[in-house]
Amino acid sequence: MRIATWNINGVKARIDTVLEWLKETSPDVACLQEIKSVDENFPRQPFEDLGYNVETHGQKGFNGVALLSKQPLEDVERRLPGDDGDEQARFIEGAVSSDKGVIRFGCLYLPNGNPLGSEKFPYKLAWMDRLIPHAERRLREENAYLLLGDYNVIPDPIDAKNAKNWLDDALFQPESRQRFRALTNLGFTEAVRACTEAAETYTFWDYQAGAWQKNNGIRIDHILLSPQATDLISGCGIDKHVRGWEKPSDHVPVWVELAA
DNA sequence: ATGGCGTACGCAGTACGA
């Protein structure tokens, strides 16, 4: 079973690209971020035509997440618990049944947090402070659970081509990185680092200043697996070639293969 | 980067992203 995450930067602009990728890699579950669409306008039909069940949590203009699954999605929940006043569409969960039991997926679009000094950075940290106890509750269920998406966190210097360029950026602040470590330290395994120690392993390249051509990337899209899910890992990867396609997203898909 | 690009909204130019 292949599980993938991808920040598509707008479903309207990216629909053909996303469909092409789905046909090429055929993930069983795909978590999409930045759909930038309200639920009513999400183009469900072309995804359903490829055999996917579709669940969305969108809003007007920006943000928005979606879950695609070849198997029916059960127990779908929208919104990250902990702040009823948070109107930003950044979190959706669902589960599928497999021969290894229930496998649950949390699809997240973590706040960017820039610029530092604005209200956006404390919002990012507060969002992470809600994510950690939620993840802790899920781990206590002792099922296969994957928490995946655009974390907007560069975990370590090796995860950026030029780490010093990010020192004043919310993605690389000690407070952001500390919370990411606190999350993984609950007992999650981070898929890509479990599969490779290779340097220059990135998931995002800016549209500007020839970042892609210079391989000036960062690794900010992550897949975290509970111990029960970690036991099923048979491989993982990054679909880097997609960044070179026509009209690309600035992010590329990350995936993990489970023996389920 | 005093953001040079890209997307959404909506029809000019502003908000947002990382």
Side-chain angles (χ1 to χ4, degrees):
Chain A
M1 172 184 270
R2 180 179 291 224
I3 320 299
T5 176
W6 191 11
N7 179 323
I8 62 173
N9 190 15
V11 71
K12 189 190 291 181
R14 212 71 60 217
I15 179 72
D16 292 341
T17 310
V18 176
L19 294 172
E20 188 64 28
W21 168 74
L22 288 171
K23 283 183 234 176
E24 179 185 292
T25 67
S26 198
D28 297 279
V29 174
C31 303
L32 307 180
Q33 300 90 39
E34 279 207 273
I35 62 173
K36 297 187 176 181
S37 166
V38 293
D39 295 333
E40 310 84 82
N41 293 346
F42 190 88
R44 307 174 61 90
Q45 192 63 51
F47 294 105
E48 290 170 353
D49 290 346
L50 290 180
Y52 287 98
N53 297 282
V54 180
E55 296 284 351
T56 64
H57 180 212
Q59 69 179 93
K60 187 175 179 179
F62 59 110
N63 297 331
V65 287
L67 273 177
L68 311 177
S69 173
K70 290 183 177 175
Q71 290 179 254
L73 283 160
E74 304 158 9
D75 300 323
V76 174
E77 293 181 19
R78 292 166 178 80
R79 309 173 62 90
L80 182 65
D83 182 358
D84 292 342
D86 183 2
E87 295 301 326
Q88 299 197 31
R90 297 181 174 277
F91 195 76
I92 187 169
E93 276 195 355
V96 300
S97 297
S98 81
D99 54 0
K100 300 285 170 48
V102 170
I103 304 180
R104 188 164 183 84
F105 308 94
C107 171
L108 65 90
Y109 176 44
L110 208 146
N112 172 301
N114 282 307
L116 296 179
S118 74
E119 73 292 343
K120 293 183 179 182
F121 188 55
Y123 172 67
K124 176 188 191 124
L125 300 181
W127 206 92
M128 297 184 86
D129 287 338
R130 289 160 57 196
L131 179 63
I132 290 166
H134 176 74
E136 202 168 16
R137 287 191 294 273
R138 288 295 180 214
L139 286 176
R140 281 202 286 268
E141 297 172 355
E142 300 191 348
N143 287 323
Y145 178 59
L146 290 81
L147 200 45
L148 67 170
D150 178 358
Y151 277 79
N152 270 318
V153 174
I154 302 167
D156 289 295
I158 195 178
D159 298 310
K161 176 82 168 210
N162 302 115
K164 64 179 185 303
N165 291 353
W166 298 91
L167 287 172
D168 296 324
D169 195 288
L171 280 62
F172 196 55
Q173 287 310 293
E175 295 92 336
S176 311
R177 296 170 58 199
Q178 183 275 330
R179 283 165 174 79
F180 184 76
R181 280 197 301 275
L183 176 63
T184 55
N185 286 345
L186 295 173
F188 288 97
T189 294
E190 199 245 288
V192 169
R193 281 296 173 236
C195 296
T196 178
E197 296 176 355
E200 306 204 342
T201 299
Y202 308 130
T203 66
F204 169 92
W205 296 261
D206 201 289
Y207 287 122
Q208 301 181 69
W212 167 243
Q213 289 74 14
K214 298 177 196 166
N215 197 27
N216 182 15
I218 51 176
R219 195 173 71 90
I220 56 175
D221 301 271
H222 308 297
I223 302 179
L224 269 49
L225 297 96
S226 75
Q228 294 78 9
T230 302
D231 287 345
L232 303 175
I233 296 180
S234 62
C236 71
I238 298 174
D239 291 331
K240 181 177 179 179
H241 66 289
V242 171
R243 187 63 176 79
W245 286 359
E246 289 294 310
K247 263 193 97 195
S249 169
D250 38 9
H251 296 249
V252 296
V254 181
W255 53 268
V256 63
E257 193 80 34
L258 300 184

